[in-house]
Amino acid sequence: MSLTEITQQIASAEANAGRTPGSVKLIAVSKVQPNERVDTVLAEGHRLFGENRVQEAADKWPTFRDTYGKVDVHLIGPLQTNKARQAMELCQAIHALDRPKLANTIARLAQEMGQCPDLFIQVNTGEEPQKAGILPAETDTFVAECRALDLPITGLMCIPPANEEPSLHFALLRKLANRNGLNDLSMGMSSDFASAIALGATHVRVGSAIFGERVTG
């Protein structure tokens, strides 16, 4: 699918849900994609991308920014505390704030650096033991703890279990965000972003539908 087709589908989903046109941001997930594919999407004018690994982002985006100017990069994968400074220098948002240790590290670095990216708390809506994220029952407390650290928490993020209806998890995330006065919801991917938009997504993460299947190895 072309970038134009994806943006048209997002616009249609916004209209169907009664959302304000342009209220949903498309994060083009460029992780593990050849630079030529990323360059093509940049050349079409897109300026918001998602990366899973700090090192991959650091290897890729300074050069692209030299060519294309301002490009927003959101870290959507897990973040190790020893990579937090690099992520904060490189990224405009971090979508996987998922534990108190990381929150404390980011808070300390934000004081040192005098700036901090927007932060999304990752919620493990499916309560899957193998998956990172704050449990739903602990989300209110964690939001309060992060706010006490003066962290710029703007929203919540989730990755629904692969074998469950994603809309149930999107609805739960929206409920948690509303309860905590958070405006942003990072949810929905290539296969389910229309459902996510209907349930309030402000950021959808679309990779393979834009770039084709990931290249590995």
Side-chain angles (χ1 to χ4, degrees):
M1 233 180 288
S2 69
L3 178 64
T4 300
E5 289 173 311
I6 295 292
T7 55
Q8 288 173 345
Q9 287 191 15
I10 289 173
S12 176
E14 286 175 336
N16 291 339
R19 302 280 301 277
T20 302
S23 60
V24 178
K25 296 180 180 178
L26 169 61
I27 301 173
V29 180
S30 47
K31 63 178 182 178
V32 203
Q33 292 288 353
N35 283 354
E36 303 77 48
R37 293 184 183 177
V38 179
D39 189 76
T40 298
V41 176
L42 279 161
E44 291 184 65
H46 196 68
R47 292 294 182 270
L48 175 55
F49 292 81
E51 293 287 344
N52 256 40
R53 297 179 183 278
V54 176
Q55 191 56 54
E56 183 182 351
D59 291 343
K60 179 187 299 178
W61 287 106
T63 301
F64 277 134
R65 283 170 169 160
D66 286 344
T67 302
Y68 289 100
K70 184 178 184 295
V71 179
D72 284 349
V73 176
H74 288 198
L75 185 71
I76 59 175
L79 177 59
Q80 298 173 337
T81 52
N82 65 351
K83 296 283 188 181
R85 180 186 293 274
Q86 190 177 21
M88 292 170 69
E89 291 171 342
L90 184 69
C91 300
Q92 284 62 56
I94 293 170
H95 288 235
L97 176 53
D98 60 1
R99 58 198 188 279
K101 182 181 179 182
L102 181 58
N104 282 295
T105 298
I106 291 175
R108 175 177 55 80
L109 291 170
Q111 291 296 318
E112 289 180 17
M113 299 164 67
Q115 56 94 17
C116 186
D118 291 338
L119 300 173
F120 291 72
I121 292 171
Q122 181 173 350
V123 181
N124 185 352
T125 54
E127 302 187 24
E128 298 173 274
Q130 80 281 8
K131 189 175 286 184
I134 302 297
L135 294 176
E138 298 169 1
T139 299
D140 295 356
T141 298
F142 189 60
V143 170
E145 290 171 352
C146 290
R147 284 174 167 159
L149 293 169
D150 288 329
L151 290 175
I153 305 298
T154 65
L156 304 179
M157 182 270 263
C158 75
I159 304 171
N163 59 347
E164 294 186 18
E165 171 54 50
S167 61
L168 299 175
H169 296 270
F170 299 154
L172 172 58
L173 198 72
R174 181 176 66 176
K175 178 181 177 182
L176 292 169
N178 288 345
R179 197 160 72 204
N180 285 282
L182 295 169
N183 295 323
D184 290 339
L185 289 169
S186 173
M187 60 188 195
M189 296 185 281
S190 292
S191 61
D192 55 25
F193 65 79
S195 172
I197 290 169
L199 287 163
T202 58
H203 297 68
V204 294
R205 311 179 301 268
V206 180
S208 57
I210 295 173
F211 295 103
E213 291 304 313
R214 294 179 199 136
V215 176
T216 58

